[in-house]
Amino acid sequence: MTATKGYAALNTNEKLAPWNFERREVGNHDVQIEILYCGVCHTDIHNIKNEWFPGIFPMIPGHEIVGRVVKVGDNAKKFKIGDIVGVGTYVDSCRECEDCKNGHEVFCLQNVQTYNSRDKNGLPTYGGYSNYIVVDEDYTLRISEKLNLAATAPLLCAGVTTYSPLRKWKVGKGHKLGVIGLGGLGHIAVKFGVALGAEVTVFSTSPEKEADAKKIGAHHFIASKDQEQMKSVFHSFDFIIDTVSANHNINPYIEILRTNGVYINVGLPSKPWEISSFSVVVGNKVITGSGHGGLDEAQEMLDFCAENNIVSDIEIIDIKNINEALERLERGDVRYRFVIDMATL
Ligand code: NAP
Ligand code: ZN
């Protein structure tokens, strides 16, 4: 076993505190990764607070992991010691079902999440707010050393979650794309939308984010609480990607889609939506969702980011300030992702 240090919530809603634990030995197909950076996703808050389902505690959150390979299993072929790699939201799946075979490992019924989950032996998994992790090499991704490594960490979740649906729906030149919520996922969705050639509009509840939105590359900005601004874009968008973490009314956004427009939800607020039947019937609207992405898609996204020089806008934090960072993230006070420098652990 490998002695490991981390920061855990010992129970739901509790503040994170230092917690030592053991990782499994490096198996034949595993790599041991020294974690360099870990992003702080809004999902970490949903999990610590049991907002979706009762969590497994002590919980070490973190599924936006970038690190260096320090040990390689006897039969692991993909990586060598010293390679820079990434780990996203899951670390295993059955590898045999239809979803695994079709590159949708994330939807495999035996998918093992990076934390707040149980591995095939029934043991809890622990995430990236820690100094080491042991992962099967097949669930470990290559990272280009051309990219700023701290700013690359958020790509492992926020990146692939927004890249996957934009590619699936072939969003690109000639399309108007609306991005709802300029947070961790939203600001990366803007960068991808722009890189893919779409005309991108940010819809934000925070008017003070307009200058940032434009700097990131957005062509337009709508303050979503301003009824006049919302009316001005009625019936005009091909695609909308909703990245909002809080419960909100989506009907006004469905109305700004043009005929056959597609509403892609990636946010995970806890309450069900209420959708007006008229808002989807009139204009043949499509409402769809997207969960994370497959391993091949995640690798494609990382390679796309290396080619197009896309990384997250980040604020690097010391792990001892993680509780303050989680509070700030919850009230929307982050530009645009916190990343923990694990050297501070
Ligand atoms: P985040 O950084 O907190 O960003 C969320 C943004 O939502 C905020 O910046 C804010 O943008 C907007 N917002 C917050 N409260 C709002 C409200 N009451 N009404 C309208 N807008 C509001 O969170 P994140 O890390 O990007 O995650 C976003 C959501 O995606 C979370 O629910 C997370 O769990 C989920 N998620 C899903 C997947 C997946 O596989 N589908 C993967 C990762 C994360 P403005 O200030 O611009 O309005
Ligand atoms: Zn995440």
Side-chain angles (χ1 to χ4, degrees):
M1 302 296 265
T2 313
T4 309
K5 292 194 286 186
Y7 261 59
L10 295 182
N11 216 326
T12 185
N13 276 314
E14 278 192 18
K15 292 221 181 306
L16 273 62
W19 191 69
N20 295 338
F21 64 108
E22 290 190 323
R23 298 272 190 199
R24 68 168 184 257
E25 282 300 334
V26 179
N28 278 340
H29 293 272
D30 288 339
V31 289
Q32 184 184 14
I33 301 163
E34 177 192 5
I35 299 176
L36 301 174
Y37 300 102
C38 185
V40 180
C41 179
H42 207 111
T43 295
D44 301 343
I45 296 177
H46 293 307
N47 277 323
I48 296 165
K49 296 197 156 185
N50 279 353
E51 282 175 358
W52 299 331
F53 51 83
I56 301 169
F57 293 90
M59 183 188 295
I60 297 204
H63 58 204
E64 295 185 335
I65 298 169
V66 167
R68 184 186 294 115
V69 174
V70 291
K71 215 171 182 183
V72 177
D74 290 344
N75 295 332
K77 303 265 181 301
K78 215 170 132 187
F79 301 105
K80 57 181 193 312
I81 289 174
D83 283 353
I84 299 295
V85 295
V87 178
T89 65
Y90 51 94
V91 289
D92 209 351
S93 63
C94 84
R95 300 151 200 246
E96 283 163 5
C97 70
E98 193 185 347
D99 280 329
C100 284
K101 285 186 178 149
N102 290 331
H104 297 303
E105 298 87 350
V106 65
F107 303 128
C108 168
L109 297 178
Q110 292 174 50
N111 178 280
V112 178
Q113 296 278 297
T114 304
Y115 72 91
N116 200 17
S117 181
R118 292 193 183 273
D119 68 18
K120 284 177 178 160
N121 298 322
L123 299 171
T125 54
Y126 300 112
Y129 297 8
S130 59
N131 56 352
Y132 291 102
I133 191 165
V134 177
V135 184
D136 187 304
E137 65 168 358
D138 291 343
Y139 295 76
T140 304
L141 300 158
R142 271 187 326 275
I143 302 250
S144 163
E145 298 194 30
K146 280 201 296 197
L147 295 174
N148 174 313
L149 296 185
T152 296
L155 300 178
L156 275 305
C157 172
V160 66
T161 301
T162 49
Y163 181 85
S164 169
L166 295 180
R167 296 301 274 181
K168 172 182 164 172
W169 289 95
K170 300 187 170 56
V171 174
K173 276 204 174 60
H175 291 142
K176 284 190 176 185
L177 168 69
V179 176
I180 313 180
L182 196 66
L185 267 59
H187 89 289
I188 295 179
V190 171
K191 294 185 186 202
F192 286 146
V194 171
L196 294 169
E199 184 180 337
V200 180
T201 301
V202 168
F203 291 84
S204 174
T205 58
S206 313
E208 68 280 5
K209 290 183 182 171
E210 178 164 1
D212 284 348
K214 301 257 171 83
K215 205 163 82 194
I216 288 167
H219 303 95
H220 315 281
F221 183 92
I222 299 280
S224 53
K225 288 181 178 161
D226 181 327
Q227 301 299 322
E228 289 307 308
Q229 289 193 38
M230 288 295 283
K231 259 193 225 156
S232 72
V233 290
F234 179 75
H235 201 63
S236 61
F237 281 79
D238 301 284
F239 296 97
I240 284 176
I241 182 164
D242 181 339
T243 73
V244 173
S245 53
N247 299 309
H248 62 294
N249 177 13
I250 74 165
N251 292 290
Y253 295 105
I254 300 174
E255 286 176 7
I256 60 181
L257 285 170
R258 58 161 53 122
T259 298
N260 291 326
V262 181
Y263 191 96
I264 305 161
N265 178 61
V266 293
L268 289 165
S270 52
K271 282 201 192 138
W273 291 328
E274 269 186 29
I275 301 171
S276 138
S277 47
F278 284 90
S279 70
V280 284
V281 166
V282 177
N284 299 354
K285 312 283 171 62
V286 176
I287 297 186
T288 181
S290 191
H292 198 71
L295 291 164
D296 288 348
E297 277 176 306
Q299 189 61 60
E300 182 189 309
M301 177 275 309
L302 288 166
D303 298 344
F304 180 86
C305 288
E307 269 161 41
N308 292 278
N309 203 21
I310 293 175
V311 286
S312 175
D313 289 16
I314 59 166
E315 184 177 329
I316 297 193
I317 60 161
D318 187 315
I319 195 149
K320 73 176 186 317
N321 297 327
I322 184 62
N323 291 302
E324 186 196 333
L326 289 167
E327 280 163 29
R328 284 183 53 199
L329 173 61
E330 196 160 25
R331 54 172 197 267
D333 175 21
V334 52
R335 302 289 186 273
Y336 280 89
R337 197 60 138 188
F338 291 117
V339 172
I340 307 166
D341 177 356
M342 220 46 78
T344 62
L345 180 62

